[in-house]
Amino acid sequence: MVVATNLPGDGVRGFTLIELMLALALGAILFLVAAPLTSGWISGMRQMQARGSVVDAVGKAKSIALRNASGKASDSTAARIQLAGGVLSVIDAAGGTVWSSEVPESVALKTPDGSPFECTAYNSRGVQREDSALSCTQTASRLIVGVANRGDVDVDLL
């Protein structure tokens, strides 16, 4: 008759409670170190995404303004960039939206004087202009893309 035993030297394998506690403690420390780094990386990606959207919007608005399909005079608005409800849009002279992109909530678009960006207009020569009829009175040469825990990034609007 053979009796099975579970003595430590009999080949039974497993983890002790101390080994499990050390592994959990090490995992918790790694998580606590990685969490702030991940948060900063995500903020940076949102900022770069918003910057790319602004660059795309400027290019699209200028190309629409220069094409001037609606035949606007050189001193009137042929295209504009507008930020409303977290959506950056390019609007042609007829008032139709030809391009749009969402701006992440944590990203702020500001003019160099610190006021929030709302709208900028371009004439048929691709030059920024004020258009009080459309409430586009911002003619700053650049736009600042900011996130709370990162440095600001500038985008040229000219």
Side-chain angles (χ1 to χ4, degrees):
M1 175 187 284
V2 177
V3 177
T5 61
N6 287 333
L7 298 175
D10 288 341
V12 177
R13 304 227 191 276
F15 295 105
T16 66
L17 182 60
I18 292 174
E19 290 170 334
L20 288 174
M21 295 300 288
L22 285 173
L24 286 174
L26 182 61
I29 290 169
L30 288 174
F31 176 76
L32 290 173
V33 169
L37 297 174
T38 304
S39 173
W41 178 75
I42 290 171
S43 294
M45 293 304 295
R46 287 182 178 150
Q47 184 179 33
M48 288 298 110
Q49 175 190 5
R51 182 190 181 283
S53 293
V54 171
V55 169
D56 289 347
V58 170
K60 189 71 167 175
K62 282 184 169 185
S63 70
I64 289 170
L66 289 170
R67 269 191 228 124
N68 195 15
S70 60
K72 291 286 184 175
S74 63
D75 60 341
S76 61
T77 299
R80 71 182 188 271
I81 301 171
Q82 182 173 324
L83 179 64
V87 177
L88 189 66
S89 302
V90 175
I91 301 168
D92 63 10
T97 301
V98 294
W99 180 92
S100 65
S101 176
E102 287 189 31
V103 176
E105 289 181 26
S106 59
V107 177
L109 300 179
K110 303 175 284 187
T111 60
D113 65 1
S115 62
F117 174 76
E118 295 172 3
C119 182
T120 190
Y122 294 91
N123 65 17
S124 62
R125 293 176 300 194
V127 177
Q128 274 186 305
R129 63 179 303 273
E130 287 190 21
D131 193 336
S132 55
L134 297 172
S135 301
C136 287
T137 58
Q138 295 174 328
T139 58
S141 62
R142 62 188 173 98
L143 194 59
I144 298 170
V145 181
V147 177
N149 59 352
R150 298 192 54 92
D152 293 338
V153 177
D154 293 349
V155 179
D156 288 330
L157 294 177
L158 298 177

